[in-house]
Amino acid sequence: QVQVVESGGGLVQAGGSLRLSCTTSGLTFDRFTMGWFRQAPGKEREGVSGITKDGVNSYVADSVKGRFTISRDNFKNTLYLQMNSLKPEDTAIYYCAAGRSWYLPLKTAEFDYWGEGTQVTVSS
């Protein structure tokens, strides 16, 4: 059974930082493209950042470019999202997902396994 579990969310003031982590089990981590998505109330889920199986290539959405950094540790089966200079508009539930292909822009349909999400709230 595949499990995807996010952690690291919380409440932070604008300008602050958080690091999200995502661990997986039941799948061969280094065979999967990994991505971070977010969904704010009343909005569609959007792709924030993605990284290839080997970690060589990555993508970040324009809205977070220069502030968010994605990385992965294939030995620890863990994905990270370092979020700096957070803004109130970054408030959302953040989801980790695993997919079999690398396709840009990130699309939810390209990802097979999902976590339940972690809440990130940025106060002004």
Side-chain angles (χ1 to χ4, degrees), residues 1 12 26 30 33-35 46 50 54 58 60 71 82 85-86 91 93 95 101 103 108 120 122:
Q1 182 179 357
V12 64
D30 61 5
T33 291
M34 298 298 296
E46 63 172 350
D54 56 8
S58 63
V60 288
S71 62
Q82 179 66 45
S85 302
L86 283 160
T91 295
I93 298 175
Y95 298 91
S101 59
Y103 185 85
T108 57
V120 171
V122 185

Side-chain angles (χ1 to χ4, degrees), residues 6-11 17-22 36 83 118-120:
E6 304 94 340
S7 62
L11 173 64
S17 298
L18 285 173
R19 188 174 84 153
L20 304 183
S21 298
C22 169
W36 288 101
M83 305 187 296
T118 185
Q119 176 71 48
V120 171

Side-chain angles (χ1 to χ4, degrees), residues 2 24-34 53 72 74 77 98-100 113:
V2 175
T24 69
S25 60
L27 57 79
T28 305
F29 186 73
D30 61 5
R31 294 184 182 178
F32 284 82
T33 291
M34 298 298 296
K53 304 170 187 179
R72 66 189 294 164
N74 284 350
N77 291 355
R100 300 182 189 273
Y113 303 106

Side-chain angles (χ1 to χ4, degrees):
Q1 182 179 357
V2 175
Q3 288 190 315
V4 179
V5 180
E6 304 94 340
S7 62
L11 173 64
V12 64
Q13 288 188 332
S17 298
L18 285 173
R19 188 174 84 153
L20 304 183
S21 298
C22 169
T23 58
T24 69
S25 60
L27 57 79
T28 305
F29 186 73
D30 61 5
R31 294 184 182 178
F32 284 82
T33 291
M34 298 298 296
W36 288 101
F37 291 76
R38 69 184 181 186
Q39 189 166 18
K43 295 188 177 181
E44 292 188 355
R45 193 170 298 188
E46 63 172 350
V48 174
S49 189
I51 191 166
T52 52
K53 304 170 187 179
D54 56 8
V56 172
N57 294 307
S58 63
Y59 160 87
V60 288
D62 287 343
S63 58
V64 302
K65 194 165 292 183
R67 301 188 297 119
F68 289 13
T69 303
I70 191 171
S71 62
R72 66 189 294 164
D73 185 333
N74 284 350
F75 293 104
K76 296 182 178 179
N77 291 355
T78 304
L79 176 73
Y80 303 99
L81 185 68
Q82 179 66 45
M83 305 187 296
N84 299 329
S85 302
L86 283 160
K87 303 175 180 180
E89 51 262 44
D90 294 319
T91 295
I93 298 175
Y94 283 71
Y95 298 91
C96 173
R100 300 182 189 273
S101 59
W102 177 245
Y103 185 85
L104 297 177
L106 298 177
K107 294 184 178 181
T108 57
E110 296 293 326
F111 288 80
D112 304 300
Y113 303 106
W114 292 82
E116 294 186 352
T118 185
Q119 176 71 48
V120 171
T121 304
V122 185
S123 63
S124 57

